[in-house]
């Protein structure tokens, strides 16, 4: 039986843009597990109330409900040990750093470039909630937060130096093949591709070559998803 994934959607039900849900999508694909996704919007709290919290991703696997992308990755490795996402405890420990860097450096940098694009793509019923909750967090309007995007892009690209230097010397963060660390970081780039026309990376950036490898992975799962060319 397929695993059910509650997956953040924009106004168009097939525009799936959550960086956290993309981690889980790729983790499920890595395992070769069948998935059925359910589009979920920010104001659909009641649809995932059974999980006891209010954020996606949430998966339901038979009788088991699991939420939080990291907990889901652990669950998948424990339950389906073939094709591990993180093969050894030291790999998992290093992936924790990657996750924290992604959540506290990469995602905030991306937010300043695309939060307005997220807002304009949302279902109208989600917009007041999104504006109020995000503006309380950032302390200004979404429009002010995202102003002067071109000027911010150069600094954002510069902030990717450690990622670029790593991917100059190896095809994936996991080495010769992708592991969950790759999916964590890639989720951020896929968030952008699904919701914004901004060109995050120069064409000759080694990070762009890595992103393309992951867009092509699993029969083009990420590249076939609704988004913008990059
Ligand atoms: N730590 C969680 C974060 C999940 C998360 O923040 N999900 C967002 C979508 S990208 C969400 O559901 N937000 C609901 C809200 O802001 O009300 C994870 O890794 O799964």
């Amino acid at each position: 039986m397929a695993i059910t994934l509650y997956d953040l959607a924009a106004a168009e039900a097939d525009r799936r843009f959550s960086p956290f849900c993309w981690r889980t999508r790729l983790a499920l694909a890595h395992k070769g597990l069948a998935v059925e996704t359910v589009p979920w919007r920010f104001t659909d709290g009641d649809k995932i109330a059974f999980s006891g919290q209010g954020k996606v991703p949430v998966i339901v696997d038979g009788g088991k409900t699991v939420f939080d992308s990291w907990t889901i990755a652990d669950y998948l490795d424990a339950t389906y040990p073939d094709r591990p996402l993180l093969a050894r405890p030291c790999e998992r420990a290093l992936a924790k750093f990657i996750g924290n860097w992604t959540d506290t450096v990469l995602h905030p940098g991306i937010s300043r470039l695309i939060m307005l694009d997220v807002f304009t793509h949302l279902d109208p019923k989600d917009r007041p909630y999104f504006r109020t909750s995000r503006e309380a967090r950032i302390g200004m309007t979404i429009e002010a937060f995202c102003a002067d995007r071109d000027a911010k892009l150069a600094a954002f690209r510069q902030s990717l130096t450690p990622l670029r230097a790593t991917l100059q010397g190896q095809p994936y963060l996991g080495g010769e093949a992708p592991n969950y660390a790759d999916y964590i970081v890639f989720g951020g780039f896929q968030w952008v591709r699904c919701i914004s026309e901004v060109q995050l990376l120069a064409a000759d950036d080694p990070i762009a070559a890595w992103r393309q490898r992951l867009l092509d992975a699993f029969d083009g799962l990420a590249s076939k998803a609704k988004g913008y060319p990059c």
Side-chain angles (χ1 to χ4, degrees):
M1 200 170 74
I3 292 176
T4 303
L5 167 66
Y6 290 81
D7 192 13
L8 185 63
E12 301 142 286
D14 59 346
R15 191 180 294 278
R16 307 295 176 84
F17 64 96
S18 157
F20 299 101
C21 293
W22 272 106
R23 296 178 190 182
T24 298
R25 276 306 289 280
L26 290 163
L28 290 163
H30 180 106
K31 294 279 183 193
L33 293 168
V35 60
E36 261 170 30
T37 67
V38 177
W40 180 87
R41 299 196 171 82
F42 284 112
T43 50
D44 286 343
D46 53 325
K47 276 198 199 167
I48 56 166
F50 68 87
S51 71
Q53 54 86 60
K55 291 184 177 181
V56 291
V58 174
I59 64 163
V60 180
D61 183 17
K64 178 94 180 146
T65 297
V66 191
F67 62 88
D68 182 79
S69 56
W70 186 266
T71 310
I72 293 171
D74 275 345
Y75 167 81
L76 293 176
D77 266 349
T79 312
Y80 305 99
D82 283 355
R83 289 178 266 188
L85 294 163
L86 295 167
R88 293 181 296 155
C90 62
E91 246 177 66
R92 183 179 180 279
L94 284 171
K96 277 267 178 197
F97 170 79
I98 298 284
N100 285 322
W101 175 78
T102 302
D103 293 354
T104 62
V105 178
L106 181 65
H107 284 184
I110 289 175
S111 273
R112 290 204 82 104
L113 304 173
I114 67 158
M115 192 184 280
L116 190 56
D117 294 315
V118 172
F119 178 74
T120 57
H121 280 84
L122 290 179
D123 189 298
K125 80 183 173 109
D126 275 4
R127 288 185 198 164
Y129 163 75
F130 186 81
R131 183 179 282 286
T132 307
S133 59
R134 271 42 179 187
E135 291 185 351
R137 193 185 292 169
I138 61 185
M140 63 183 91
T141 63
I142 297 174
E143 287 77 2
F145 188 62
C146 291
D148 296 325
R149 175 151 84 181
D150 291 347
K152 284 179 193 143
L153 195 53
F156 173 78
R157 288 180 176 175
Q158 177 74 23
S159 78
L160 300 177
T161 301
L163 181 63
R164 183 172 298 115
T166 307
L167 294 171
Q168 235 148 15
Q170 62 196 56
Y172 296 102
L173 296 174
E176 290 304 311
N179 72 10
Y180 192 61
D182 291 277
Y183 307 144
I184 291 172
V185 178
F186 178 78
F189 290 89
Q190 181 71 345
W191 175 26
V192 177
R193 196 190 79 76
C194 291
I195 213 81
S196 176
E197 291 183 88
V198 70
Q199 291 302 309
L200 213 51
L201 301 169
D204 61 353
D205 192 325
I207 303 170
W210 163 85
R211 178 180 60 184
Q212 192 59 50
R213 285 191 281 279
L214 287 167
L215 282 166
D216 294 340
F218 313 119
D219 198 25
L221 172 69
S223 74
K224 287 177 191 160
K226 181 171 270 183
Y228 293 97
C230 62

